[in-house]
Amino acid sequence: MRNRLTTRPTGVCAPDAPGQTVTSRARSQADLPRRASVVVIGGGVIGCSVAYHLARDGLADVVLLERRQLTSGTTWHAAGLVGQLRTSINMTRLARYTSELYLRLEAETGQATGYRRRGSISMATTEERHEELMRSASMAKVFGLEVRALDPGEIGKRVPLLNMEGVLGGIHIPSDGYANAVDVTNALARGATAAGARIFQDTQVVEILTSAGRVSGVATGRGEIRADHVVLCAGMWTRELAASIGVNVPLHACEHYYALFDSVAGLGPEMPVVRDYDACSYYKYDAGKLLIGAFEPDSRPWAVEGIPEDFCFDEIPGSLDHFEPILEQAMARVPALETAGLAKFFCGPESFTPDVRYHIGQAPELDNCFVAAGLNSIGLQSAGGIGKALCEWIRQGHPPADLWEVDLRRNMPFQRNRKYLRERVSESLGLLYATHYPYRQFATARGVRRSPLHQRLAAMGACHGELAGWERPNWYAPSPELARYEYSFGRQNWFDHAAEEHRAVRERVGLFDQSSFAKFEVLGRDAAKVLNRICANEVDVAPGRIVYTQWLNERGGIEADLTVTRLAGDRFLVVTAAAGEVRDLHWLQGHIPRHSHCIASNATSAMGVISLMGPKSRDLLQSLSPDDLSHQAFPFAHSREIELGHALVRASRITYVGELGWELYIPAEFTLGVYEAIVEAGGEFGLAHAGYHALDSLRMEKAYRHWGHDITDEDTPLEAGLGFAVKFDKAGGFIGRDALLRQRRAGAIRKLLQFRLLDPEPLLYHDEPVWQGDTLVGHITSGAFGHTLGGAVGLGYVDLEKAPAAEAGDFSIEVAGKRYPAEASAKPMYDPDNLRIRC
C-alpha cells in the first residue's frame, strides 16, 4: 500500500484513489437524506472513527460527508505509528483503547488494517532525556501500561541496525505498533456503514446551518440535511469551516516530512518503532523499506494564504535542505543508510495547534456543534479514543472523563488570529519530540496579553511565563538580563530566587500580579437565585462577603473552583483561574435559565489585580489607606471598596498562599498608579515581588487544590476534602447535590492527601506513583518544593480499598524508578488550624 501511494503522481484524485475501497462510489443525489441525528464533516481517520462509534452505539441515522474521497486530506500520508504512553492518565487510556480497537477491527470488518504490534523503543542520548524517560516509565505504572527500562546493550540487541554511540538508555513498550492509516480508515468506514451510517463522498459542505444559538444542519452542493448535531472533523480545513459559524478552532497546517529508504541491510519486519527524540526523528519498518520521519524544531507553516480548493491526495514541494540535518543524523544512527537507496522524499501537510494538544468537544459558541481536529500528527494513534469519547459526549451530554487538556473550551478567542497561529505552530511541531521539561515556556507568539504592570515588572527582573496568552511573572531574577529559563528536571536556575520570594511571603509581604484572573460580573434581580443553584456553597450572603465554592456537574464532579463576592443585592463578582476564562463563562451562561432576570458578562480586561500577601500586608496597606483594615473591622472572607493611593480599589481579604493578605481589584487605568504607591511605601515593610512559582510552592504547603490537576470534573468535593464548602441543606439545592448525597451515604472510595518527601533532594511534578508498602495505591496530581516544610510536597489521591488506613504511614513515592519515603496528611501540613490567615 505504501509503495502504491508514494509512486502515484501528485495531484491525482482519481476514482481508484485510496479512499474509495470500502463503500460504494459517491451516492446519487436522491440518496442524500433530508435529516440525520448527527452529520460528521470529514472523511479522514478521525471522522470515520466518530461515525463508526456513533453508529455502533445505536445511532442509525449518522451521515458522514467528505468533500473529495476518504483519506484524501492528510490521513492518506500518515506514517502509521500507534503509540500509547501519553502525558496523563486519561490521554493514555484513550490511546490504549485505540490500540485495542485496531487489534480487533480487521476481524470485525473484514478490511485489512496493516496493524502490527512490534513494540516501540524510545532512546535517550542526554541525561535530561534519560530522566524524562525514566519518569515516564514510572508514570506508566499508574496508567497500568507495561513499560520496560532498557540499557544501551539491550536496545542494540533488539535493533541491530542502530549505532549505539552516545545512547544512555531508553524504554520499551511491547504493545505499541503501527498500522496503515488508509486501511484503518476504510475499516472504520466499513464498520460504520455496516452499523447503519451513510457515507457520501464528493459532497462538500458549503454552509453549516444554525438557528437560535444552536446548529441545525448543513447545506451541500446537493441539498440540505437537517441535523441534531454536527461534528467538524475536517482536519486542516476545520479552522475556516468553524470560523464561518463563529466557532474558535485554532490550528494551522505545517509541512511534515519523512523519507523512505530501500535496500537497507539488516532491516526486517520484526523491527520495533524506534524514537530517537534527541535527533528529532523516528524509524519504522514500512513494507520492506525503512521510513524516517521527523519533528524538527523549526517547522514551516503551509498554505498561509489558504488551502488550495482542489487539494486532494496531494504532496507539497517541501525542502530537502530543510530535512537534510535530520538525514545526516539518521545516517549516523543507522549506518546501513549509507549504502541504501532513497526511494521517496515526502512532504505533506499536517495541522498543529498552539499548545500541541488536539481539539475535541462541544463548541462553547454554538450548541450541539462538536469538534475533533488539530491532531498534531498523531491522528492515527488517537482516532479510536477520540471517536469513542466524542460518541459518549454526544450521547450523554458531557465528556466521559476529564479531558480538559484537549477540551475545545481551553482556547482563547485571540488564538484564531492567523499571524499568531503561523508563529506559534512553527514551534509546536518540534515540541512533540523536544524534552518535556517542567515549566517549559513557549518561545514564539509571546506578549499577546499583558497586564498594566508588565513593563514595570520586567524592569524589576520578572521572568514571564505564558498562560492563556497572558504574560505572567513566574519568578524574579536579580536583573532583567538574567530573567531567562535554564531547564532541567532538577533544580532550575530560578529555584533559589523563588525560594526567597516564598520566604518573603511567609515572613514579610509579597506582591503578586494576578491580573490574569478571569472575572465575571453577574447582574439582575434573580442573580442570587441563579448563582446559588450553580454553586455548591451558599452564596446568598450579605453584600461584602466572599464565598469559596465549587461548581458541580450532575455527577458531583467539580467543573470549576472559584470565589463569588456579593457586591450588592443584585450584583456579584465571580473570580476564577485564567485558564478557565472561556470554559467557566460558558458553564455559567449555559446554566442561567432562559427567562431569569440575570446576565453574566466577562470583566477580565476591565480590572488589574494586585495581591499583597504575608504577615506585614496589613501594615503596608494601612499605611496607604485611611480605611480601617484591622481584623475586627475587615474580617477574613470580606470585600469592600477602600481608598488606596489616588484610587478607589476593591479589597478582598482572601488568600491562596496561606497567609494574611488581600487581593486588590483595580480599574485597569488606575492599576499602575496603585502599584507605584505600594512599591514606594513597601521598602519599610520588606516588600518583595513574587511570581507564580512561589505562589505554587506556597499553595502546595497549605494543600490548596488546583483545578485541572488536583480537582477535575471527575473528582467530587467529598473525595477532594472540600466537603466544608458544600451546603447540602440550602434552599433550592444545587447542581450535583443528589450525586453527592449518594456518595456520602456509600462512602468515597478515594481520598486526596498531602505528601511530603523525607529526602529533600528529589522533586515532584505530577503523576508520580504513590506506594504504601509494596502496593501501588495512587498517584501525585501536582507537586512543588515546600521551602518552609523542607522537602518536595505533593497532593495525590489514594485508593481507599487498597490503602484502608490512608494515613497510617509506610508511604513512598516513585521518582524516575526510585522510591522515596513520604509522610502523608489529610490536613494541611502548614498552619492546619488557619491561624495565620485569620489574624
Side-chain angles (χ1 to χ4, degrees), residues 438-439 463 474-476 484-487 490-501 693-694 765 787:
Y439 311 107
C463 185
N474 277 350
W475 59 282
Y476 287 83
R484 60 183 182 274
Y485 277 91
E486 296 174 8
Y487 296 114
R491 286 159 169 74
Q492 297 184 10
N493 63 317
W494 51 264
F495 185 87
D496 291 337
H497 302 302
E500 287 300 316
E501 299 165 24
H693 291 334
Y765 298 116
H787 299 286

Side-chain angles (χ1 to χ4, degrees), residues 467-780:
L467 183 73
W470 283 101
E471 294 292 324
R472 312 196 310 174
N474 277 350
W475 59 282
Y476 287 83
S479 60
E481 59 271 15
L482 297 176
R484 60 183 182 274
Y485 277 91
E486 296 174 8
Y487 296 114
S488 77
F489 282 92
R491 286 159 169 74
Q492 297 184 10
N493 63 317
W494 51 264
F495 185 87
D496 291 337
H497 302 302
E500 287 300 316
E501 299 165 24
H502 179 114
R503 285 188 280 270
V505 174
R506 289 280 185 248
E507 298 167 7
R508 306 188 309 275
V509 56
L511 181 152
F512 297 90
D513 178 11
Q514 295 189 281
S515 300
S516 61
F517 276 153
K519 301 168 280 280
F520 312 139
E521 285 193 346
V522 184
L523 308 173
R525 63 171 178 263
D526 294 329
K529 180 179 179 181
V530 169
L531 276 174
N532 225 22
R533 175 66 181 168
I534 297 172
C535 298
N537 210 341
E538 175 66 73
V539 297
D540 191 1
V541 295
R545 292 297 306 274
I546 306 169
V547 179
Y548 170 60
T549 188
Q550 287 78 46
W551 293 348
L552 309 181
N553 53 46
E554 294 290 357
R555 303 169 309 285
I558 300 171
E559 292 286 343
D561 180 70
L562 43 78
T563 61
V564 176
T565 302
R566 190 165 201 170
L567 307 179
D570 61 351
R571 185 168 169 238
F572 292 80
L573 175 67
V574 174
V575 179
T576 186
E581 181 179 342
V582 171
R583 184 185 199 276
D584 293 350
L585 185 60
H586 175 247
W587 183 269
L588 173 59
Q589 293 176 333
H591 286 84
I592 298 175
R594 179 175 298 179
H595 300 297
S596 292
H597 193 274
C598 177
I599 60 171
S601 60
N602 192 345
T604 299
S605 299
M607 290 177 272
V609 181
I610 297 174
S611 293
L612 289 178
M613 298 288 157
K616 294 188 177 181
S617 58
R618 176 183 285 120
D619 298 335
L620 172 53
L621 276 178
Q622 193 67 81
S623 74
L624 296 168
S625 177
D627 295 271
D628 186 354
L629 304 181
S630 67
H631 179 64
Q632 293 73 24
F634 203 144
F636 181 74
H638 282 67
S639 176
R640 71 168 187 257
E641 197 172 75
I642 66 171
E643 297 177 33
L644 189 59
H646 295 135
L648 297 176
V649 171
R650 173 156 295 280
S652 294
R653 190 174 164 195
I654 198 75
T655 182
Y656 194 51
V657 300
E659 300 292 341
L660 171 69
W662 279 264
E663 294 172 356
L664 307 175
Y665 293 82
I666 314 162
E669 68 270 28
F670 291 98
T671 304
L672 184 56
V674 170
Y675 167 79
E676 290 172 339
I678 291 171
V679 171
E680 183 179 356
E684 180 183 347
F685 304 94
L687 175 69
H689 287 72
Y692 276 81
H693 291 334
L695 185 75
D696 196 39
S697 64
L698 290 159
R699 74 98 182 170
M700 287 298 309
E701 289 189 330
K702 188 61 177 160
Y704 287 147
R705 281 64 165 154
H706 182 272
W707 194 90
H709 289 94
D710 312 308
I711 47 178
T712 72
D713 57 7
E714 286 188 282
D715 309 309
T716 73
L718 302 184
E719 295 168 334
L722 298 174
F724 66 89
V726 178
K727 295 298 182 285
F728 283 100
D729 299 327
K730 67 175 179 174
F734 57 89
I735 299 170
R737 178 179 181 270
D738 291 345
L740 287 192
L741 286 173
R742 289 193 295 270
Q743 187 177 67
R744 189 170 67 172
R745 288 192 295 269
I749 61 173
R750 299 187 306 147
K751 186 174 185 177
L752 189 69
L753 298 177
Q754 185 183 31
F755 296 90
R756 182 180 73 90
L757 294 184
L758 303 183
D759 185 334
E761 283 305 309
L763 300 178
L764 299 177
Y765 298 116
H766 60 83
D767 286 328
E768 291 89 354
V770 175
W771 298 83
Q772 190 170 41
D774 289 325
T775 302
L776 180 61
V777 296
H779 68 279
I780 296 296

